[in-house]
Amino acid sequence: MGTTKRAILGLLLCVLIAMPISAQALTKIEVYKKCAPAVVLIVQEMAPGRVRFGSGSIINARGQIITNHHVVTGGGLLKVFLYDKFRDKLEDNLQTFMANNKDKALTARLVRSDAYRDLALVQIVKAPRNLPTIPIGDSSKVQPGQDIVVIGNPRGLTWTLTSGSVSAVRKNSIQVEAAINPGNSGGPLLNMNGEMIGVNTFIRRNSNNLGFARPSSMVVDFLKNDQPLVTNNFDSSKIAYIRAIKRPLYEKLSKLEASKVICQLVTIGLNNGNGALRFDAKAETINAVIISTLTGIYTNADVKQKLLQRFLPKVLIPRGKGEIWTLNGSKYVRSLQNVQAWAVDDTSGAIYVIERSGALKISDGGYGGWRSLGSGQHYVSVSATNGSAYLLLKNKTIEKFQNGQFVNVSSMKFNRSIHATNGYLYVVSDRGYVFRYNGASWEKSGRPIGLRVKYVAAAGQVWFSLDQDGSIYSYQEDRVIDKDGDAMLIYPFKEKLLAVSRSAHVYMYSPTTKKWQRLFP
C-alpha cells in the first residue's frame, strides 16, 4: 500500500474513532416491550358505577407517577392498575378489565398538581418493590418529522400503542400526528429510544390525528418544585381553580351552559364571591362540581377556606326552581324555596330575597338566619351594592333600603330590570332606555344615558350594553365594538368585557388593545 493511501486510511480511522456512537433506534415492538410495563391505568371513582380514567407513567421505583392534572383532580378515589406482563390477551373494554382485575387495583393519592401546565404527581400508597420505570428524555432535541410512539388507555382499551410523527414543536406543547383519544391523557409520548419526551395532554376536537403533549422539559421543571404551585398564592389559586373547573363543567353541562357558568364564576370571583350563580342544571350537580374541583386541587385547608369565603359564589340559583342554595360549611345546601328574585350585595355579601308572595328577606350570614324586612308584600326585583338594596316595586317605582330605612328614589315608572354595582344602579326600561343612579341622584337629571338596550354589563362606572339589534356598545369608547350580532350574553370583567356567542364560545374584549380574543372552549 502506498504512503498516500496509508495516510488517508489512517485519517479516516481517526475520524471514525473520534465520532460518537449514537444509540441504535428501537423498533416499535421493542419500545412497547420496554415501556408498556411502566405505563399505568388510572381510574377515579366519581360515583357508584361512574368512573373517570386516564394514563400515567411510573418515573421511579418508589411508585411515583406523572400524569395530567385533569385526570386526577375530580375529587374521586384514585385507583391504579399495573401492566401484567403474563397476560397474553387484553380485555375488549374497560368494564370487563375492571371486573376481572378488581383485586389488583392499587390505591393512590395525589401528591400535587399544576392546573396551569396540566400536570400532576401521584403516589401509589403501597407500591410494590422494584417497579419498572420510564426514563425522561430531552424534549429540546425533538424535531418535526421524527417518529414517536404513544402508549395509553384510549377509551378504556388498556395498554394500546399508536404511532406517528412530530408535526410541530410549539411553545408549551409538542404537536403530534398520532391517534390520541380520551384515556390517552397523562400517558407517555415516547421517542424511538424508549424515552418519555412528553405527557399526552389533549386532542383538538373535530380533527383527525391532531394531538398535543406537554414537553418533558416542563415535566422536569414541575418535578423540581416540591410544593403545590397554588398553595400559598391566593390570586394564582383563583386562576388555577377556573382553569381546573372548565373540563368537568363542559363534561356535565351543555357547551353553552358551561360557558355561561364559567363567565359568572369569573365575574363573581372579582367581587370576592359576592354574587349569585344562575344555571340550567340540578343544584346538586353544580354543587358537586364546584366542591370536588376545590377538594381535588388543594390540600391546603387555608386556601380552601379562602376560596369558599372570598371567591366562590355566596348563592346558587337553579333556574325555574324557585330555590336558593347558600354555603353551609364546605358545601351548598338548599336554604329557601318559593323565591322569585334575589341579590347579593357586592360589598358586604348580604343576601336579599323576594319570595313569590312579594315579601322581602335578608340573610347577613348565608345559610339560615333569614329575617323579614318591611311589612309589605309588594316587591318584584332586588339588586344590592355598597350596603344598599334597591327594590323594584309592583307599582314600578324604586325604593332603596339602607341603614334600616326604606326611601323612595324614583317617581319614574320602570318595568324591566335593575342592576347595582360598585355604588351605582343601572335601570333598563321596557323601551330599552338606560338610566343610572349614583347613590344620591339620577345622572343627566333623570334622562336616559343609553338607548335601544337589551342588557347591561357594568362594573361601577364602566359599562357595556348588548343592544336590541345584537350589537355590543362601549359607552366609555362611545362606539359599537361588535357588529356581528351573535352575542347572547355579556359579563363585566373589570374594565374589560366577556361575551358568550351563540356557538357557546367565550370572547374577551380589551379597551386597551381594542380587540377581541377568543378564550374558550
Side-chain angles (χ1 to χ4, degrees):
M1 183 181 291
T3 304
T4 303
K5 288 184 177 180
R6 286 197 299 270
I8 293 173
L9 288 173
L11 179 61
L12 287 172
L13 183 60
C14 291
V15 170
L16 289 171
I17 293 173
M19 288 177 64
I21 299 175
S22 59
Q24 180 67 40
L26 304 175
T27 66
K28 287 186 283 188
I29 293 175
E30 291 171 331
V31 171
Y32 185 85
K33 288 182 177 179
K34 176 183 178 181
C35 298
V39 176
V40 301
L41 167 67
I42 300 174
V43 175
Q44 188 173 184
E45 298 177 7
M46 308 301 296
R50 188 168 61 87
V51 299
R52 178 187 294 180
F53 59 91
S55 307
S57 302
I58 303 173
I59 56 173
N60 59 49
R62 301 190 306 275
Q64 290 192 320
I65 298 166
I66 191 75
T67 184
N68 284 150
H69 166 89
H70 74 259
V71 169
V72 295
T73 52
L77 180 65
L78 292 177
K79 297 288 186 180
V80 169
F81 293 87
L82 303 178
Y83 178 81
D84 186 353
K85 62 181 179 181
F86 299 109
R87 184 177 294 249
D88 294 329
K89 299 289 179 67
L90 297 171
E91 285 80 358
D92 292 328
N93 54 66
L94 181 64
Q95 290 77 12
T96 304
F97 174 85
M98 292 186 65
N100 292 343
N101 296 273
K102 58 184 178 180
D103 58 333
K104 297 180 180 179
L106 300 175
T107 302
R109 64 179 178 85
L110 178 63
V111 177
R112 65 177 182 273
S113 66
D114 182 337
Y116 293 93
R117 292 175 281 198
D118 196 14
L119 293 172
L121 183 65
V122 172
Q123 173 70 59
I124 299 175
V125 174
K126 294 182 180 180
R129 292 184 179 181
N130 302 319
L131 287 170
T133 62
I134 294 181
I136 299 177
D138 185 355
S139 59
S140 68
K141 297 179 180 179
V142 174
Q143 297 182 32
Q146 81 173 65
D147 293 334
I148 52 90
V149 165
V150 171
I151 301 177
N153 307 287
R155 303 193 183 279
L157 296 172
T158 53
W159 287 278
T160 297
L161 178 147
T162 55
S163 62
S165 59
V166 174
S167 301
V169 179
R170 305 198 178 277
K171 183 177 180 180
N172 294 312
S173 64
I174 300 172
Q175 180 183 330
V176 298
E177 182 188 21
I180 295 178
N181 291 281
N184 278 119
S185 291
L189 177 69
L190 302 161
N191 62 20
M192 298 312 294
N193 294 324
E195 299 169 329
M196 182 173 63
I197 54 174
V199 174
N200 301 312
T201 300
F202 63 95
I203 56 175
R204 186 65 57 84
R205 290 183 178 179
N206 302 320
S207 300
N208 293 323
N209 296 341
L210 187 57
F212 297 85
R214 292 293 185 239
S216 59
S217 59
M218 189 179 289
V219 174
V220 171
D221 184 62
F222 168 71
L223 293 174
K224 286 179 180 177
N225 179 12
D226 291 332
Q227 298 297 327
L229 177 69
V230 293
T231 293
N232 299 315
N233 187 319
F234 187 45
D235 288 335
S236 296
S237 298
K238 292 187 285 188
I239 297 171
Y241 182 85
I242 293 297
R243 294 192 178 194
I245 202 172
K246 285 193 296 184
R247 179 179 291 271
L249 284 174
Y250 280 113
E251 288 177 352
K252 294 181 180 298
L253 305 179
S254 70
K255 186 177 175 183
L256 178 61
E257 193 62 25
S259 293
K260 292 192 290 186
V261 167
I262 294 168
C263 287
Q264 290 180 81
L265 287 172
V266 170
T267 56
I268 291 170
L270 291 174
N271 284 328
N272 296 318
N274 294 326
L277 176 64
R278 295 187 66 191
F279 48 86
D280 278 321
K282 291 182 179 179
E284 293 86 350
T285 300
I286 299 298
N287 181 32
V289 171
I290 289 176
I291 301 304
S292 65
T293 301
L294 182 68
T295 303
I297 298 178
Y298 307 106
T299 57
N300 186 293
D302 291 338
V303 172
K304 286 184 182 180
Q305 198 60 30
K306 281 184 179 180
L307 284 167
L308 283 168
Q309 294 179 348
R310 294 166 43 195
F311 181 69
L312 294 176
K314 295 288 191 298
V315 172
L316 301 184
I317 304 289
R319 285 191 181 94
K321 301 295 184 181
E323 300 174 350
I324 181 168
W325 291 56
T326 55
L327 272 172
N328 180 22
S330 60
K331 65 178 181 179
Y332 294 91
V333 297
R334 186 186 292 108
S335 183
L336 279 181
Q337 294 178 292
N338 298 315
V339 173
Q340 73 170 16
W342 57 87
V344 181
D345 191 304
D346 60 8
T347 304
S348 69
I351 304 169
Y352 298 85
V353 300
I354 298 174
E355 296 182 320
R356 286 174 177 165
S357 64
L360 176 66
K361 290 185 174 181
I362 182 175
S363 174
D364 297 316
Y367 179 72
W370 295 96
R371 57 189 175 90
S372 298
L373 296 176
S375 57
Q377 296 181 343
H378 49 271
Y379 299 110
V380 175
S381 184
V382 60
S383 192
T385 180
N386 280 9
S388 298
Y390 292 92
L391 300 148
L392 181 63
L393 279 64
K394 289 181 179 179
N395 65 8
K396 302 180 183 180
T397 61
I398 295 176
E399 285 184 354
K400 178 170 70 172
F401 175 77
Q402 186 177 33
N403 298 325
Q405 301 293 322
F406 289 90
V407 179
N408 188 284
V409 298
S410 173
S411 58
M412 295 184 289
K413 303 288 185 178
F414 298 107
N415 193 29
R416 184 81 171 275
S417 63
I418 58 177
H419 175 61
T421 166
N422 294 347
Y424 290 84
L425 174 69
Y426 292 82
V427 181
V428 182
S429 74
D430 54 353
R431 298 178 63 184
Y433 296 160
V434 180
F435 303 84
R436 185 163 70 183
Y437 183 76
N438 62 19
S441 62
W442 292 93
E443 297 184 9
K444 297 185 70 171
S445 301
R447 296 191 301 276
I449 63 172
L451 304 173
R452 299 185 299 278
V453 171
K454 180 180 178 181
Y455 182 77
V456 166
Q461 296 186 69
V462 178
W463 70 289
F464 301 83
S465 67
L466 177 58
D467 292 345
Q468 293 173 351
D469 62 1
S471 62
I472 300 176
Y473 198 87
S474 167
Y475 283 82
Q476 276 56 52
E477 299 179 39
D478 193 22
R479 69 183 186 92
V480 174
I481 58 175
D482 178 67
K483 299 179 181 179
D484 293 342
D486 66 339
M488 291 191 66
L489 289 168
I490 55 176
Y491 302 88
F493 183 46
K494 295 184 178 179
E495 76 284 354
K496 302 176 183 179
L497 183 73
L498 299 177
V500 179
S501 70
R502 296 185 187 280
S503 58
H505 293 119
V506 176
Y507 296 84
M508 181 179 71
Y509 176 77
S510 170
T512 303
T513 63
K514 299 188 181 342
K515 292 181 179 180
W516 288 92
Q517 175 188 358
R518 178 172 157 180
L519 298 181
F520 52 85

